[in-house]
Amino acid sequence: MMNNDNQISKQTKLFGFIGVEAGVSRFSAVLNKMFKANSVDAMMIPMNIREDDLYFTVSNMKKSHVNGAVISNEYVAQIPEILDDASSMVKRSGMCDIVYKEGETLRGDIFGTRVLTEHLKDMMALRIAIIGTNHHAKAFSFLACGFEVSYFNDSLEELMAFTQEVELRDADMNRIASDIDVDLSSYDAVLDFSSLNSLAMVKSLGKINLDMKNNKEFSALRSRATELDASYTSYDDIIDKFASKAYQLIK
């Protein structure tokens, strides 16, 4: 078996980890270590894929020996259009971070947001500030039961449309802009899901400050946390938790 001698047999279940610099990430190595430790005949293969080649690579998994793939953050919003079937979470949020091959079709789901919510519960976080209205914000909102969530965005119109789309009643909505001083120190966790290039308007951050960016992506939150000498958690900082969840799903 592959997990005894690191060889791939005809029976080995192959999965891809797709990203711009997937080979640099620890994700595949961590997951393969779990497979080996538990004598699971499976292997995760890092696949460095350029954006121009993403559609071709994922769609051609249908006829390949690869059984599925985990998708790195930079591509999660581009995967739903390639799928043949998708979970309701994928359809409602507009993102997908895990793909399964079923026959010659591809089905997509979300697992990373579930890991994030579990991590925050492990950290005893209750009051959450979310910046932005993108696919991550939508997915988190669908799973936010048990949290007290406040929403921040540079456009209140976008924020109102967002809360209607995710069916939030009486949501705590706040404008964030360069001409407004924002104090987030009362929150247990601040999640930046925005596309803002700077968070200079934020004068104080929360106890936990996290985004889903890997260490190769630009992070306005990381930059501001450094300036304020505050904590910062990236995707890569809790990658063992993501790998553990992926292991449970594909073993």
Side-chain angles (χ1 to χ4, degrees):
M1 291 177 62
M2 179 276 296
N3 288 293
N4 290 331
D5 55 14
N6 293 323
Q7 296 297 313
I8 299 175
S9 70
K10 291 182 179 180
Q11 289 74 42
T12 302
K13 293 173 68 175
L14 299 178
F15 293 85
F17 176 59
I18 295 176
V20 174
E21 297 189 59
V24 177
S25 172
R26 292 174 48 242
F27 187 90
S28 298
V30 172
L31 191 55
N32 286 332
K33 187 176 180 180
M34 292 179 184
F35 288 144
K36 188 168 185 177
N38 293 280
S39 298
V40 176
D41 193 11
M43 178 176 279
M44 176 68 70
I45 303 169
M47 302 170 66
N48 293 343
I49 305 298
R50 298 181 308 174
E51 186 171 1
D52 290 346
D53 297 326
L54 181 65
Y55 186 93
F56 176 84
T57 300
V58 176
S59 61
N60 276 275
M61 280 172 41
K62 299 177 186 180
K63 298 183 181 297
S64 74
H65 295 295
V66 178
N67 292 272
V70 171
I71 311 299
S72 187
N73 178 65
E74 62 270 25
Y75 288 149
V76 294
Q78 296 170 250
I79 299 300
E81 67 181 49
I82 311 174
L83 302 172
D84 299 293
D85 191 20
S87 69
S88 61
M89 280 282 289
V90 169
K91 292 175 182 176
R92 295 186 71 187
S93 68
M95 65 170 279
C96 169
D97 59 12
I98 189 164
V99 177
Y100 304 94
K101 185 176 77 170
E102 297 178 345
E104 290 194 1
T105 65
L106 299 178
R107 177 175 62 85
D109 205 348
I110 294 173
F111 81 100
T113 310
R114 293 183 172 88
V115 175
L116 175 57
T117 59
E118 291 166 6
H119 173 71
L120 292 173
K121 288 175 182 177
D122 289 344
M123 299 296 289
M124 306 299 289
L126 175 61
R127 299 194 69 234
I128 312 293
I130 291 182
I131 305 173
T133 60
N134 75 353
H135 42 272
H136 283 300
K138 290 178 184 176
F140 186 89
S141 295
F142 295 136
L143 297 173
C145 182
F147 297 114
E148 296 175 9
V149 183
S150 297
Y151 295 87
F152 294 79
N153 196 53
D154 53 347
S155 167
L156 283 179
E157 290 77 11
E158 284 183 10
L159 196 50
M160 290 177 66
F162 168 86
T163 56
Q164 291 174 1
E165 186 175 353
V166 299
E167 300 176 358
L168 293 172
R169 294 183 179 179
D170 302 319
D172 180 18
M173 295 184 288
N174 306 271
R175 183 167 175 262
I176 185 170
S178 58
D179 59 342
I180 301 173
D181 287 349
V182 180
D183 182 354
L184 301 177
S185 60
S186 64
Y187 293 95
D188 299 319
V190 174
L191 309 180
D192 180 22
F193 297 142
S194 74
S195 57
L196 295 171
N197 292 321
S198 171
L199 291 173
M201 74 290 290
V202 176
K203 303 308 177 184
S204 299
L205 284 165
K207 296 178 182 136
I208 302 164
N209 304 290
L210 188 151
D211 57 25
M212 295 294 277
K213 304 287 185 66
N214 61 55
N215 290 340
K216 293 294 182 179
E217 294 179 274
F218 168 75
S219 167
L221 182 63
R222 178 171 55 229
S223 297
R224 191 59 178 146
T226 299
E227 293 166 355
L228 295 174
D229 195 25
S231 70
Y232 169 73
T233 303
S234 71
Y235 177 97
D236 289 332
D237 291 328
I238 52 174
I239 204 165
D240 287 27
K241 292 189 175 184
F242 291 106
S244 179
K245 186 67 172 181
Y247 170 80
Q248 294 170 21
L249 292 171
I250 66 181
K251 67 179 180 179

